[in-house]
């Protein structure tokens, strides 16, 4: 299913350098398996991925190459996904890896950035941290040249599902 | 800055990997561009004259001019103008009850399990951070960008306790390795070219490095990653602190604040009082406003919200202990005076890009103060009783470009004129002293003169005594009537009110 809100999200996210794919639930499970492949992965426990055959996490999370998280909400206006930090959804999943994959449910996609802020502010119990992510890590500190993947991931992939 | 010792590296107390090789750095810089500004060793007009003539400054000037044209045009789309109005309102609302909001912030933070250190002076702020570090036997700190920590001279203090402190924002890391201080609020290394960075990193490496920006960044990334992993403590700044929920919000594009605030076991957030905002929902306005003016983005890549320490028994990551140091450093003294508006600042750096004097000097070093540019010329004399910075308000053409570029509508030129008045009242021979020298410098070079001329409207408020001594401006000065010197800030304010400007 695709609609105006998803199209807006796609446009804004792609302008930030994010890859957006809209998939059915079955296709999404297969897509995550393919993306992870044989790579060292940090995958948060996500109900939708139950039963998908994924490798065990590396002994040292700093060795992970790919991370898979689920967004609490998204903001179409800014191409943003919102990731609360919880004991079973640690920040490292979205941070230590080179490629970050985020699952975003269509019903969690909100029109504006303000909507995402307000929904997240109302979240209880309040998570100890939240990360609002609108693209891959970057820097412009060397003569304004765009650098991809400064400290966080060099690649952000958002999989939108019904 | 301490270079890590061989012993430190091999021992059980981790020290910095990123700072290895700093003793080899050969990139030179004038004393006044150094990490620690020599207190009052040289007069400001002489430093700024040096800055204008510094080799390579032309290159920096061109970059700043291009960035200024792109970012700080002072033209606001209807959507951005509406957000600017809203942002300006939120900041004024904050000022009206600063101490109430701070009380609420502290109570919320403590309810979330954070440990709050509310202090007055920079010394107390440094000591609070140092005590936390000592209590945990910290030898390595990973730090994300924060002007507040520069203001309280935190890094040299911690170095003195034998602690390595590593700047993790790429631009901050570059200036730290070069032994310099940031030259712009959001672009700390704007004054350095790609070649400068290549030479710097080759020195750190002890061997040549590729000069491609991606390779240079990869070099820094690998070194800083080792420090993120080994650091026992993180130090971060704060962009906004929501009083209602006790949530701290930090924005970056690199993701370094996320590292600093989630991987080390202990986190210290350092903020001056004006970072408080009444409600967490306000960041829905202020983050886009800051991102647009600072970086021409709708929002930065990352906004990091911090609401408390993690439960050590529950697993996951995040700090076990969250400390928040809130310092004043003279700010409360201006509450209730016209100067209080400086506390609305959200540190976007747009006034710096917009300022012809800042560009002409190739960035903020020539202000010989922590905060340079228009905002620095107002903030530096206000905070901490820095008498050495009292003459900074003369480093402006009063052209008004800063106010036009300011996302929260701070009337910087009015405040500059107020502070010039204060200077005149406090100093016996003001015109011959700092004023005349700074002004004559601004007009003594062709580029400085041309830059200043774009602000010919300043003529209506320039103190008459100064204007009449400037030979180059006598033609336009002579055709204008000059108001009395005293109360010039009020004259500007009244004139603009008459024109229908509310601020
Ligand atoms: S004074 Fe205004 S333009 Fe300058 S840094 Fe502060 S908010 Fe930005």
């Amino acid at each position: 299913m695709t609609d105006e809100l998803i199209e807006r999200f796609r446009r804004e996210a792609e302008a930030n350098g994010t890859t957006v794919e809209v998939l059915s639930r079955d296709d999404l499970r297969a897509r995550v398996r393919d993306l992870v492949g044989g790579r060292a992965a940090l995958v948060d426990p996500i109900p939708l991925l139950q039963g998908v055959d994924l490798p065990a996490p590396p002994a040292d999370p700093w060795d992970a190459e790919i991370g898979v998280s689920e967004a609490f909400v998204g903001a179409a206006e800014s191409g943003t996904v919102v990731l609360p930090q919880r004991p079973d959804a640690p920040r490292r999943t979205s941070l230590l890896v080179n490629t970050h994959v985020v699952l975003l449910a269509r019903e969690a996609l909100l029109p504006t950035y303000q909507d995402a802020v307000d929904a997240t502010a109302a979240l209880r119990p309040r998570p100890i941290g939240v990360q609002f992510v609108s693209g891959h890590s970057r820097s412009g500190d060397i003569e304004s040249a765009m650098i991809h993947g400064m400290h966080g991931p060099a690649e952000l992939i958002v999989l939108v599902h019904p | 800055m301490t270079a890590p010792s061989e012993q430190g590296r091999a021992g059980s107390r981790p020290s910095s990997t990123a700072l290895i090789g700093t003793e080899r750095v050969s990139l030179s810089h004038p004393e006044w561009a150094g990490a620690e500004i020599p207190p009052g060793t040289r007069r400001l007009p002489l430093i700024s004259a040096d800055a204008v003539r510094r080799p390579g400054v032309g290159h920096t000037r061109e970059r700043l001019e291009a960035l200024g044209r792109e970012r700080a045009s002072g033209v606001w789309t209807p959507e951005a103008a509406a957000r600017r109005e809203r942002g300006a309102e939120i900041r004024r609302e904050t000022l009206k009850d600063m101490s109430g909001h701070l009380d609420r912030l502290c109570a919320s933070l403590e309810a979330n399990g954070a440990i709050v250190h509310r202090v007055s002076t920079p010394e107390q702020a440094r000591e609070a951070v140092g005590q936390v570090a000592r209590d945990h036997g910290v030898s390595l700190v990973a730090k994300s960008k924060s002007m507040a920590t520069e203001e309280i001279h935190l890094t040299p203090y911690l170095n003195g306790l034998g602690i390595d402190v590593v700047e993790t924002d790429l631009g901050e890391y570059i200036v730290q390795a070069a032994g310099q201080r940031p030259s712009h609020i959001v672009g700390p290394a704007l004054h350095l070219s790609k070649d400068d960075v290549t030479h710097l990193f080759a020195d750190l490496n002890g061997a040549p490095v590729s000069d491609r920006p991606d390779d240079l960044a990869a070099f820094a990334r690998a070194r800083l990653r080792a420090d993120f992993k080994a650091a026992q403590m993180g130090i971060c700044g704060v962009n906004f602190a929501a009083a209602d929920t006790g949530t701290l919000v930090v924005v970056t594009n690199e993701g370094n604040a996320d590292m600093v605030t989630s991987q080390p076991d202990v986190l210290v957030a350092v903020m001056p009082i004006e970072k408080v905002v009444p409600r967490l929902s306000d960041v829905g306005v202020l983050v886009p406003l800051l991102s647009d003016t600072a970086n021409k983005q709708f929002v930065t890549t990352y906004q990091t919200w911090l609401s408390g320490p993690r439960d050590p028994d529950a697993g996951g990551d995040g700090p076990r202990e969250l400390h928040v140091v809130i310092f004043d450093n003279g700010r409360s003294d201006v509450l209730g005076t016209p100067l209080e508006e400086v506390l609305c600042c959200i540190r976007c750096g747009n006034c710096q890009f917009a300022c012809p004097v800042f560009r002409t000097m190739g960035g903020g070093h020539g202000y010989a103060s922590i905060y340079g540019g228009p905002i620095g010329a107002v903030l530096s004399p206000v905070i901490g009783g820095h008498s050495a910075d009292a003459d900074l308000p003369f480093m402006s053409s009063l052209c008004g470009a800063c106010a036009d570029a300011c996302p929260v509508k701070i009337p910087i030129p009015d405040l500059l004129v107020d502070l010039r008045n204060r200077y005149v009242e406090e100093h016996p021979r003001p015109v011959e002293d700092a004023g005349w020298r700074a002004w004559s410098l601004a007009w003594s070079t062709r580029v400085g003169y041309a830059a200043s001329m774009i602000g010919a409207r300043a003529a209506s408020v320039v103190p008459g005594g100064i204007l009449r001594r400037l030979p180059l401006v006598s033609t336009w000065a002579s055709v204008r009537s000059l108001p009395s010197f005293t109360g010039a800030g009020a004259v500007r304010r009244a004139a603009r009110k008459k024109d229908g400007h509310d601020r």
Side-chain angles (χ1 to χ4, degrees):
Chain A
M1 78 181 257
T2 122
D3 56 34
E4 230 168 79
L5 206 55
I6 291 181
E7 282 319 304
R8 173 125 205 242
F9 176 81
R10 184 202 294 276
R11 222 175 26 247
E12 298 303 328
E14 285 178 353
N16 296 337
T18 305
T19 304
V20 178
E21 298 174 22
V22 182
L23 301 165
S24 72
R25 286 163 168 250
D26 283 343
D27 289 348
L28 179 135
R29 289 159 60 89
R31 183 71 180 125
V32 170
R33 203 181 46 233
D34 287 352
L35 282 167
V36 171
R39 289 195 275 179
L42 300 173
V43 185
D44 292 344
I46 301 170
L48 199 57
L49 297 181
Q50 228 163 33
V52 178
D53 183 24
L54 294 166
D60 183 349
W62 291 83
D63 293 336
E65 293 170 66
I66 182 167
V68 185
S69 317
E70 185 172 40
F72 165 60
V73 288
E77 170 185 49
S78 49
T80 305
V81 289
V82 179
L83 308 169
Q85 181 182 18
R86 295 216 164 86
D88 63 350
R91 179 58 56 243
R92 52 181 173 257
T93 307
S94 65
L95 195 59
L96 305 190
V97 296
N98 199 49
T99 300
H100 183 213
V101 181
V102 179
L103 276 50
L104 173 65
R106 165 63 185 84
E107 66 194 25
L109 183 56
L110 305 171
T112 68
Y113 182 78
Q114 182 75 59
D115 294 334
V117 166
D118 291 341
T120 310
L123 192 56
R124 295 293 181 279
R126 189 176 294 138
I128 63 158
V130 181
Q131 195 185 28
F132 284 61
V133 182
S134 308
H136 57 76
S137 163
R138 66 197 65 198
S139 175
D141 278 341
I142 301 175
E143 287 193 14
S144 305
M146 163 72 99
I147 287 154
H148 293 76
M150 187 54 226
H151 295 301
E155 186 181 27
L156 175 66
I157 303 170
V158 179
L159 306 179
V160 184
H161 60 87
Chain B
M1 172 183 358
T2 33
S5 69
E6 288 299 332
Q7 199 185 4
R9 241 173 283 154
S12 58
R13 281 168 59 82
S15 60
S16 171
T17 301
L19 298 180
I20 289 173
T22 45
E23 71 285 352
R24 286 190 292 263
V25 167
S26 58
L27 192 68
S28 67
H29 59 80
E31 194 188 21
W32 41 263
E36 286 304 296
I37 307 152
T41 47
R42 218 158 155 244
R43 301 175 77 81
L44 182 62
L46 302 180
I47 291 175
S48 47
D50 273 2
V52 171
R53 295 187 206 108
R54 188 175 176 179
V57 73
H59 193 52
T60 308
R61 199 176 284 152
E62 279 162 28
R63 267 207 306 277
L64 284 169
E65 273 162 12
L67 286 164
R69 268 195 304 277
E70 173 196 310
R71 297 183 184 186
S73 61
V75 177
W76 301 83
T77 63
E79 197 190 342
R83 192 174 291 120
R84 186 180 184 223
E85 289 300 329
R86 185 70 196 112
E89 272 167 29
I90 292 169
R91 296 305 283 146
R92 264 74 185 182
E93 182 194 344
T94 312
L95 282 188
K96 267 191 210 131
D97 183 21
M98 183 68 99
S99 77
H101 291 306
L102 283 168
D103 289 344
R104 278 185 286 281
L105 172 66
C106 292
S108 307
L109 285 167
E110 281 169 357
N112 293 344
I115 300 162
V116 179
H117 310 256
R118 199 168 160 184
V119 301
S120 171
T121 66
E123 293 74 34
Q124 291 165 337
R126 299 195 283 266
E127 280 161 18
V129 182
Q131 193 57 49
V132 175
R134 269 197 295 244
D135 288 349
H136 291 87
V138 169
S139 59
L140 174 60
V141 169
K143 181 170 166 297
S144 69
K145 192 172 160 14
S146 152
M147 290 303 292
T149 56
E150 299 278 336
E151 179 183 332
I152 64 169
H153 302 279
L154 183 58
T155 295
Y157 175 79
L158 293 176
N159 289 162
L161 300 179
I163 299 167
D164 278 355
V165 180
V166 183
E167 293 291 348
T168 60
D169 169 86
L170 177 60
E172 293 278 348
Y173 174 58
I174 290 169
V175 294
Q176 182 185 26
Q180 303 181 11
R181 69 176 191 284
S183 65
H184 183 274
I185 294 178
V186 299
L190 262 177
H191 61 292
L192 295 174
S193 67
K194 181 166 66 82
D195 287 347
D196 291 334
V197 177
T198 308
H199 285 134
L200 177 70
F201 283 6
D203 285 345
L204 292 178
N205 196 30
V209 295
S210 148
D211 69 351
R212 287 182 52 239
D214 275 326
D215 293 337
L216 292 167
F219 173 82
R221 174 185 159 102
R223 290 178 144 232
L224 289 165
R225 218 171 145 83
D227 284 353
F228 284 131
K229 193 175 169 182
Q232 306 112 317
M233 182 167 123
I235 295 178
C236 69
V238 174
N239 292 101
F240 305 106
D244 61 343
T245 61
T247 303
L248 309 178
V249 178
V250 189
V251 308
T252 74
N253 275 321
E254 298 184 2
N256 56 318
D258 299 84
M259 289 278 192
V260 163
T261 59
S262 72
Q263 299 309 306
D265 261 344
V266 181
L267 173 63
V268 184
V270 181
M271 56 174 271
I273 57 167
E274 74 268 29
K275 299 292 179 180
V276 68
V277 295
R279 297 156 298 261
L280 184 52
S281 66
D282 293 333
V283 304
V285 175
L286 294 172
V287 164
L289 196 57
L290 172 62
S291 308
D292 182 21
T293 42
N295 277 317
K296 276 286 160 267
Q297 291 169 296
F298 184 81
V299 289
T300 57
T301 302
Y302 300 108
Q303 293 90 48
T304 311
W305 290 16
L306 304 167
S307 291
R310 84 176 136 105
D311 171 357
D313 301 326
D317 54 13
R320 286 161 174 266
E321 251 184 62
L322 170 61
H323 293 260
V324 186
V325 176
I326 306 174
F327 68 90
D328 190 306
N329 197 18
R331 288 164 168 84
S332 292
D333 295 347
V334 298
L335 287 170
T337 77
L339 287 171
E340 71 176 358
E341 294 209 60
V342 72
L343 302 180
C344 293
C345 175
I346 57 172
R347 302 286 187 280
C348 70
N350 220 29
C351 58
Q352 299 185 323
F353 284 128
C355 178
V357 175
F358 183 89
R359 292 187 211 164
T360 301
M361 290 206 293
H365 286 161
Y367 293 73
S369 127
I370 297 293
Y371 300 97
I375 179 59
V378 178
L379 186 60
S380 306
V382 163
I383 55 178
H386 286 226
S387 58
D389 293 333
D391 51 0
L392 273 180
F394 289 91
M395 303 284 276
S396 166
S397 70
L398 296 181
C399 70
C402 49
D404 291 346
C406 179
V408 289
K409 303 180 78 174
I410 301 176
I412 299 172
D414 297 356
L415 305 185
L416 289 169
V417 175
D418 285 338
L419 285 165
R420 288 180 187 187
N421 283 340
R422 188 167 98 180
Y423 184 90
V424 170
E425 278 157 21
E426 290 171 3
H427 293 75
R429 295 171 59 238
V431 173
E432 281 73 16
D433 224 36
W436 161 245
R437 291 193 199 195
W439 280 78
S440 65
L441 157 80
W443 272 287
S444 68
T445 63
R446 230 165 53 93
V447 60
Y449 174 64
S452 303
M453 286 303 286
I454 70 163
R457 68 189 201 234
S460 62
V461 292
V462 173
I466 290 177
L467 253 195
R468 278 188 288 275
R469 286 160 201 264
L470 296 173
L472 287 172
V473 294
S474 57
T475 45
W476 58 268
S478 66
V479 298
R480 296 185 189 237
S481 61
L482 298 164
S484 74
F485 191 15
T486 315
V491 169
R492 278 185 66 91
R493 230 166 264 130
R496 284 180 314 108
K497 280 228 172 74
K498 220 173 98 199
D499 276 0
H501 296 270
D502 54 339
R503 293 194 174 93

